[in-house]
Each structure stands twice: as structure tokens, then as C-alpha cells.
Amino acid sequence: MLTKPLMPTLAAISLLCAPSVAQELNLYSSRHYDTDERLYSEFEELTGITINRIEGKADELIARMQAEGMNSPADILLTVDATRLARAKAMGLLAPVESETLETRIPAHLQDADNEWFGFSTRARIIFYDRNDVSDPPQTYADLASPEYRGMICIRSSTNVYMQTLLAAIVTHEGQEAGRRWAAAVMGNFARDPQGGDTDQLRGIVSGECEIAVSNTYYFARSIRTDVQGLSEDRDMIGWVFPDGDGNGAHVNVSGGGVARHAPNRENAVRFLEYLAGDSAQAYFSAGNDEYPAVDGVEVAASIATLGEFRGDDVSLSEVAGNVPVAQRIYNEVGWE
Ligand code: FE2
């Protein structure tokens, strides 16, 4: 017969177990920057929480979380682009986070409307041009559609999330019809069929294949900080324009993350996101990829500071992400590969 003293209460069990429960955080991340070592070790020192990093390509990590389902060990998903973060949300992989710190530190337009993801650094998608060949570069995204630039523009495939978010932003501001006209007219100005990544668009200026290229800011900034083959050496020939300075501002996107829906260490995960919004982490996080800190007043890394100040579009990225399916349909309809 079991007597009461042999049956410890739940409170007693949790007390007994508490010291042996390792404080951990399982981070699914598509980041892979050397400077991130300091970002993570500072969090570990501050909190005593050990970070287990699971690194991979963004879409593979998202697929892995989906396959793991409720048993996923993921606590945090860190990746880039609002379109991808919104996709993870739509797949039910993220959970809302109510945090005073995140609400006050991260600008509203860089957060998901339901607080399922937050941007921690930003990049602008801007216009680069050959200083020797282009005396009157495009000043707006609309200018890229001008017949003046026929056969001059190198730009990426529509399968790329940066392109999807850019057109979704245009649709958000101007509507679907304007978005369609823009896409069709820009196609008429292609210097070549869309190919390669952003660095390849910039290299196209160096090689003379294109006079104008569209790229995220950090690819150019990286070529300032470190030697990027086929770009750094001839970088001086490349000029840049932050588009729409007199209008909506340059299109801005984020690197960011959210807490996993089935996070086994949810509390630690929220602490980690709040840590990322702190001044010190903001500096590491943004500098790792030559990006702008999401939080105002944090110092910008030297590489990216070279590009100068600009006006960024402050349209809600959560709203923009909602227009990505429309953008994809437009690209398909106009035949932008
Ligand atoms: Fe990128």
C-alpha cells in the first residue's frame, strides 16, 4: 500500500528537477557570419542560456520545421526577407510574442501585424549604375521602366524573394495595374535575361554587360569591407541612387525572426529576441551582414555608412508581404522569368 509520503507533490518534483534542467535555446538560423560569434556568446554570458545553432539555407530550415511539426526542437527561426518570414507565419510555424521591449524598440513597420516576426536589421534595394556610361541615372523605381534605359538594366529573376517583396511594395503603394505596367516595362529594358544573385548584377556593371543594376545595399557594402571577386577592384566605377527620395523612400526589407510555434524553450526564445533588440546586439547583428540596425540611434557599420544617409520607405512590411501572391501572379503574367 502506498502511503502519502512516498508520493511527492508536483511542486516538490519540479523543485528537485529544476537544477538539472539545462537552460538552452535552439536557434534555426540562415545566418553564417563570423561576427555572429560575439552576438551569441554575449547572450550566453548574460543569461547562462546555451545556444544550439542549427544553420542551413532559409527554405530548408522552414521545410525542416514543417516536417518536424509539433516535435520540432526549434525555438527561434532567424532568416531574411519579410516574404519568407510571412511564409513561415502562414505555414503556422511561428507564434505571437507580446513584448513591451520589442514593441518599443523595433519600429512598427518592421514587425508582423500579429507579432509573429520582427525585423532586427534592414537593407534597402537600390539602383546602381556605371558612372562612365550613365549621366542621368534613374531616380525612382518608376524610372527603371522608362524607355530611356532600354537594354541597360540587369536585375534578378522573379523567383527571388527580394524581387517579390519589391514588386509587392510597389503594388501596395500604386495598386495592381501600376505594378503590372511597371513589371512589363522594366522587362523591356533588360540588358539580359534575369540570372544570378545580387552580386552578379553588380558585376554586370563592371563587365560592361549592364549599365544599371538593382541590388540590396549590403552586397555593395560587402565589396567595400572585404575583397569580392569581380567587384571590389572596380567598385569606383559604380554609382548608386537611393530611389524615391522625394516620394515613398527607398524600398526597405529586413533580416529578422520569430519564436517557433512549438518552441520547447519559449521563455528563453523571447529573451533572445529582446536581446537582439538591445544596442549591443543591434550593432553586431547589423554589422555581420553590412546592414542597417533596425533600432534607431545604433551606430551603422563603416562599410554601409559609406553609402550615406537616405530616406527609407516606412510602409508596413507585414502589409507588403500580404501582396506577395499578387506580385508573383504579375511576374508570371508578364513573363518575367
Ligand atoms: Fe541576400
Side-chain angles (χ1 to χ4, degrees):
M1 188 176 69
L2 287 173
T3 55
K4 221 173 175 193
L6 286 175
M7 300 289 288
T9 63
L10 276 178
I13 290 174
S14 60
L15 204 71
L16 283 168
C17 293
S20 65
V21 173
Q23 285 290 308
E24 288 188 318
L25 178 73
N26 300 321
L27 182 67
Y28 279 37
S29 169
S30 62
R31 290 174 67 90
H32 43 81
Y33 311 123
D34 299 342
T35 47
D36 281 2
E37 292 305 328
R38 195 71 203 104
L39 179 73
Y40 300 133
S41 65
E42 190 186 71
F43 176 77
E44 292 180 324
E45 285 158 23
L46 280 169
T47 62
I49 297 166
T50 303
I51 296 178
N52 305 314
R53 267 188 278 168
I54 295 91
E55 294 179 343
K57 288 191 174 145
D59 294 333
E60 290 167 9
L61 290 173
I62 288 172
R64 180 167 165 177
M65 282 175 77
Q66 191 184 31
E68 289 166 343
M70 286 180 65
N71 299 318
S72 176
D75 290 309
I76 292 273
L77 173 67
L78 269 190
T79 185
V80 299
D81 205 287
T83 289
R84 213 178 255 129
L85 289 162
R87 193 191 309 149
K89 176 190 176 188
M91 290 166 77
L93 301 178
L94 302 177
V97 172
E98 298 310 324
S99 158
E100 189 69 29
T101 303
L102 294 173
E103 279 313 312
T104 52
R105 297 279 293 173
I106 306 297
H109 67 284
L110 305 179
Q111 303 184 18
D112 171 47
D114 300 313
N115 293 321
E116 293 200 19
W117 52 261
F118 299 83
F120 293 103
S121 63
T122 66
R123 64 280 293 280
R125 193 152 186 77
I126 71 169
I127 296 167
F128 294 88
Y129 64 95
D130 186 337
R131 290 186 201 270
N132 305 316
D133 288 351
V134 184
S135 54
D136 188 17
Q139 298 296 315
T140 64
Y141 298 104
D143 283 350
L144 290 171
S146 162
E148 189 185 337
Y149 303 115
R150 190 152 298 262
M152 295 170 76
I153 298 175
C154 283
I155 192 164
R156 284 179 81 158
S157 158
S158 68
T159 57
N160 168 248
V161 286
Y162 310 149
M163 293 308 305
Q164 294 170 9
T165 315
L166 174 61
L167 180 52
I170 291 171
V171 167
T172 305
H173 285 303
E174 321 274 349
Q176 296 191 30
E177 255 327 295
R180 188 188 323 273
R181 279 196 305 274
W182 179 84
V186 172
M187 277 183 68
N189 290 342
F190 281 177
R192 62 181 183 197
D193 288 339
Q195 56 183 261
D198 279 19
T199 303
D200 298 311
Q201 313 312 312
L202 296 168
R203 285 185 181 124
I205 295 178
V206 172
S207 70
E209 208 173 343
C210 6
E211 285 74 39
I212 294 164
V214 174
S215 167
N216 286 347
T217 39
Y218 59 89
Y219 290 99
F220 188 75
R222 180 181 299 160
S223 79
I224 298 172
R225 175 172 53 84
T226 179
D227 186 44
V228 176
Q229 203 198 346
L231 181 58
S232 293
E233 227 174 84
D234 296 296
R235 203 186 54 241
D236 288 349
M237 69 184 281
I238 300 178
W240 59 91
V241 170
F242 284 96
D244 293 80
D246 296 328
N248 294 317
H251 171 64
V252 166
N253 210 322
V254 289
S255 290
V259 173
R261 173 66 50 108
H262 303 293
N265 306 291
R266 186 184 155 86
E267 223 170 282
N268 295 350
V270 174
R271 272 181 92 177
F272 182 72
L273 291 190
E274 291 178 338
Y275 161 75
L276 288 185
D279 282 355
S280 163
Q282 275 287 295
Y284 291 130
F285 191 93
S286 57
N289 188 31
D290 306 288
E291 291 186 86
Y292 303 98
V295 173
D296 270 350
V298 175
E299 202 178 336
V300 175
S303 59
I304 194 69
T306 308
L307 273 71
E309 305 239 320
F310 69 102
R311 174 143 171 258
D313 190 353
D314 60 3
V315 66
S316 158
L317 280 180
S318 184
E319 189 186 344
V320 168
N323 279 321
V324 163
V326 175
Q328 282 174 316
R329 201 185 64 227
I330 291 174
Y331 279 134
N332 288 340
E333 283 170 5
V334 301
W336 184 319
E337 351 176 330

